[in-house]
Amino acid sequence: MKLIGHAAMVGDIEAAGELATGALLGRAVEPNAGEGHGAGHGMCLNCGTALIGSHCHNCGQAGHVHRSLHAIGHDILHGVFHFEGKLWRTLPMLAWRPGELTRRYIAGERARFVSPMAIFLFSVFAMFAVFSWVGISTPTEMNAGNLKPAAAIDYARKDAQQDLAKAQRKLAQATDEDDKAEYRERIADAQNDLAGFDKAAKALGNGTVKVTASEVHTGWHALDHGIEKWQKNPALMMYKLQSASYKFSWLLIPLSIPFLWALFFWKRQYKLYDHAVFITYSITFMSLFYIVVAVVAAIGLGGAWLALAALAIPFVHITRQLQQAYLLGWFSAIMRAWVLTFFIGWILAIFFLILLALGMFG
């Protein structure tokens, strides 16, 4: 139990670290537009230009610089919380008026809102931090070259014990007879599973079954080597795939631009930059939305309604953003949203193949 508690604590610390990293990284790419620091005087310590304000008008460096350990802590707190100050002005617009936010940013309102790339980086780090915290991660008990049934049985047995304990708690709290019957059935199923796992473990005798992975010869050495790596250590490759998915998540933006452009290629007033801003804000909302979905599911409030919301809300959001950003009628926005949803499947497939290639050939 102490080991489990320690692991949970480490996971919480890592999740908090990811959130702080996301905020700091977002802040690093977020310009300081509209954030004054008082009047400066003297000469700029970076380029020697005479100061006429809080920042050098020649190189942009702040007129007043710190040189103390206290300043380091101040910079960290300022980076996180000042970034979040803009964040709370941006999030409501991103949720309810995403197309208007897109248009206003493209039109030049940059100081009021978090830039698309900054909030994108923050949301990606936050999403993977929360996913780690709620236990959504790659499996670790995977080894095709040296399978260990005893470890697999033990892992499954722990899951069954958790299901049993949860059902027993629910039964103790239940007042409706139908609910009680359902929880008794769950308890019986979990007990049967535990009995089966005990028999399997006893028969196995904690032994190890050796499995030789079949060799693949495609004629392409790099591909054969990649397949061999997956066969020898699929758990490591899955971990690398998950890690690469957020490190290279920015690839979703250039991959998506041609598909969105295809929906408006005859409308010359919309530039590729406009499509990139649209896509970046859209991906950001999806990341933040699925953070909420993961947390709601983790605290036990999920169900059919949550699954329906997880499918319906993204489509509604894309439709609203299209309608507001490109000044479309609702029918036109809905039709384009359907086509874009189809395109998203292709984009994710291409993204996954790129990650797979990086893992196999990298």
Side-chain angles (χ1 to χ4, degrees):
M1 292 299 292
K2 290 183 179 180
L3 182 61
I4 294 173
H6 175 70
M9 182 182 298
V10 171
D12 290 344
I13 292 173
E14 289 180 350
E18 291 283 358
L19 284 169
T21 302
L24 288 170
L25 188 57
R27 180 61 178 175
V29 300
E30 176 69 11
N32 292 325
E35 300 171 9
H37 297 275
H41 60 278
M43 310 296 288
C44 173
L45 299 179
N46 182 58
C47 67
T49 302
L51 295 173
I52 57 174
S54 61
H55 290 75
C56 175
H57 63 277
N58 183 50
C59 69
Q61 177 169 294
H64 179 67
V65 295
H66 301 277
R67 191 181 176 183
S68 67
L69 290 177
H70 173 267
I72 298 295
H74 173 270
D75 288 344
I76 293 174
L77 293 176
H78 178 79
V80 173
F81 292 108
H82 207 131
F83 171 77
E84 289 184 355
K86 280 189 174 184
L87 189 66
W88 297 124
R89 290 196 296 268
T90 307
L91 285 179
M93 292 287 293
L94 182 63
W96 307 114
R97 303 289 297 174
E100 182 180 337
L101 172 65
T102 302
R103 282 194 297 105
R104 289 172 64 176
Y105 188 87
I106 292 170
E109 285 190 56
R110 310 293 170 85
R112 182 173 180 80
F113 305 114
V114 180
S115 68
M117 185 54 66
I119 196 172
F120 168 80
L121 292 172
F122 171 78
S123 68
V124 169
F125 274 89
M127 182 176 66
F128 283 92
V130 172
F131 280 10
S132 175
W133 174 62
V134 301
I136 302 175
S137 60
T138 56
T140 57
E141 293 293 335
M142 294 175 61
N143 195 329
N146 185 23
L147 294 177
K148 297 182 178 180
I153 291 172
D154 184 60
Y155 188 81
R157 195 176 190 281
K158 289 178 180 178
D159 279 348
Q161 287 174 333
Q162 291 177 355
D163 292 341
L164 176 61
K166 183 178 179 180
Q168 288 173 337
R169 288 196 304 270
K170 294 288 187 180
L171 177 61
Q173 298 171 357
T175 57
D176 185 76
E177 289 301 324
D178 291 337
D179 291 340
K180 288 182 179 180
E182 179 184 351
Y183 294 133
R184 289 192 188 99
E185 184 178 349
R186 291 185 186 181
I187 291 172
D189 290 341
Q191 289 173 339
N192 289 335
D193 289 342
L194 287 172
F197 293 141
D198 290 340
K199 288 180 181 179
K202 185 177 180 180
L204 185 65
N206 292 327
T208 300
V209 177
K210 296 291 183 179
V211 179
T212 303
S214 58
E215 295 185 0
V216 178
H217 298 285
T218 64
W220 185 7
H221 176 72
L223 180 59
D224 293 342
H225 180 63
I227 295 173
E228 182 183 359
K229 288 197 298 182
W230 273 95
Q231 289 180 328
K232 285 185 176 179
N233 199 339
L236 177 61
M237 297 303 291
M238 286 292 291
Y239 173 78
K240 287 184 175 181
L241 190 65
Q242 182 188 36
S243 178
S245 66
Y246 78 89
K247 289 180 181 178
F248 293 97
S249 58
W250 56 268
L251 272 174
L252 290 169
I253 300 171
L255 286 175
S256 302
I257 288 176
F259 292 93
L260 185 58
W261 170 84
L263 299 178
F264 299 96
F265 68 90
W266 64 92
K267 296 192 174 186
R268 303 293 182 178
Q269 68 268 36
Y270 299 123
K271 310 300 181 184
L272 294 180
Y273 175 84
D274 305 346
H275 301 320
V277 171
F278 178 100
I279 292 163
T280 309
Y281 274 139
S282 182
I283 296 174
T284 297
F285 172 81
M286 301 307 166
S287 300
L288 297 175
F289 172 69
Y290 284 112
I291 287 175
V292 175
V293 171
V295 171
V296 171
I299 61 178
L301 298 179
W305 70 269
L306 184 61
L308 180 61
L311 293 174
I313 291 179
F315 180 81
V316 172
H317 188 271
I318 289 174
T319 303
R320 285 176 58 82
Q321 190 175 6
L322 284 168
Q323 189 269 333
Q324 296 166 3
Y326 296 100
L327 303 177
L328 304 173
W330 280 110
F331 179 78
S332 180
I334 292 172
M335 291 299 100
R336 281 181 168 86
W338 277 113
V339 176
L340 190 57
T341 301
F342 174 77
F343 285 162
I344 288 171
W346 284 95
I347 294 165
L348 292 178
I350 295 170
F351 180 65
F352 177 77
L353 290 175
I354 291 174
L355 296 182
L356 201 61
L358 289 172
M360 293 180 69
F361 304 134

